[in-house]
Amino acid sequence: MNDFKVLSDAISKGDIKTALAETQKALDAGSNASDILDKGLITTMNEVGEQFSKGLIFVPQMLRSAKVMRECTELLKPYFQEGDITTKGKVLIGTVKGDLHDIGKNLVSMMLGGAGFTITDIGVDISPEKFVEKTKEVEPDIIGMSALLSTTMPAMPETIEALKKAGLRDKVKVMIGGAPVTEIYAQKITADAYASDAGSAVTKAKNLLGIS
Ligand code: B1M
């Protein structure tokens, strides 16, 4: 049985009020924030994606569910703080050119921020040129790129190439992720790390900088 059925239904229907109330109720009842995120929010978004694939729902419904998910995630944010606010390193993160999906990227930002990294989130649809410009400005230790569409994944090697051309590639580590992205793809495009989810993004980021 799904413990988060009411929450899940509310996300699917785009019912923000009920979803927020259910998230808060689950927290008040002592549910683990990671469980709410994984079993309540992310599982439901995956189901929403499957319904979209089958043609049972359309983009506006998907968008409504995404908005609800974002609001609920905000409510969970404080529960992912590690307490140690010492900066572990700077991360510049964005969703690549042509891609507007940001829920996963926002979760990765949230978890990295909670783990003590300083985050500069530059949003969605970020061109290689913009990544380069922001890298010069922010001087991050790690650049994080997210892609949710197989059609936008090529923007990742394009960005790495742009960093090389700008003489910045050796100064930063590059971590990539997103549903269609794989470890093999990361190796192929010479990214320094691939993370399959927000939790492992924290571990990978720490590994990249040699911290525990
Ligand atoms: Co879109 N969409 N979408 N969509 N959408 C997918 C991705 C899709 C798989 C749906 C489907 O067909 N089943 C499909 C892509 C197919 C493909 O290319 N393989 C798709 C499509 C086709 C499209 C459009 C083209 C639809 C259309 O217009 N016809 C269009 C494209 C728009 C564009 O970007 N240019 C589109 C639009 C949208 C909305 C705007 C409506 C909305 C996005 C809203 C938003 O993000 N603000 C949306 C949504 C919500 C989805 C689904 C349903 C959910 C994505 C999501 O948020 N998942 C998605 C189906 C699915 O994924 N099951 C789908 C939850 C999130 C927590 O997971 O993002 O995977 P995820 O992030 C994870 C990991 O991947 C990882 O950690 C995260 C947390 O654990 N991760 C990283 C992510 N980034 C990382 C970076 C890292 C490390 C780890 O390091 C830096």
Side-chain angles (χ1 to χ4, degrees), residues 104-165:
K105 181 226 359 120
N106 293 346
L107 283 177
V108 172
S109 295
M110 183 177 97
M111 298 293 257
L112 286 172
F117 288 88
T118 302
I119 309 299
T120 305
D121 186 338
I122 50 176
V124 297
D125 190 17
I126 303 301
S127 67
E129 297 74 27
K130 187 80 181 171
F131 268 110
V132 167
E133 182 194 320
K134 284 293 185 182
T135 301
K136 285 180 184 160
E137 184 185 315
V138 175
E139 299 184 344
D141 301 290
I142 299 173
I143 294 176
M145 286 188 267
S146 179
L148 261 288
L149 299 171
S150 37
T151 49
T152 57
M153 283 167 65
M156 290 176 157
E158 283 168 22
T159 303
I160 290 177
E161 200 47 43
L163 289 168
K164 273 186 198 158
K165 280 202 180 120

Side-chain angles (χ1 to χ4, degrees), residues 68-89:
V68 177
M69 163 114 186
R70 184 198 289 251
E71 297 279 334
C72 293
T73 310
E74 281 298 313
L75 214 55
L76 298 179
K77 217 172 182 173
Y79 294 86
F80 291 100
Q81 303 292 325
E82 266 185 9
D84 166 18
I85 52 157
T86 314
T87 295
K88 291 206 161 73

Side-chain angles (χ1 to χ4, degrees), residues 42 45-46 49 52-53 59 62-63 66 98-104 107-108 144-146 148-150 175-179 195-198:
I42 295 180
M45 279 318 289
N46 286 337
F52 174 76
S53 294
V59 171
M62 210 157 62
L63 199 50
D99 201 320
L100 304 175
H101 296 85
D102 68 355
I103 297 174
L107 283 177
V108 172
M145 286 188 267
S146 179
L148 261 288
L149 299 171
S150 37
M175 177 162 70
I176 63 170
S196 59
D197 56 50

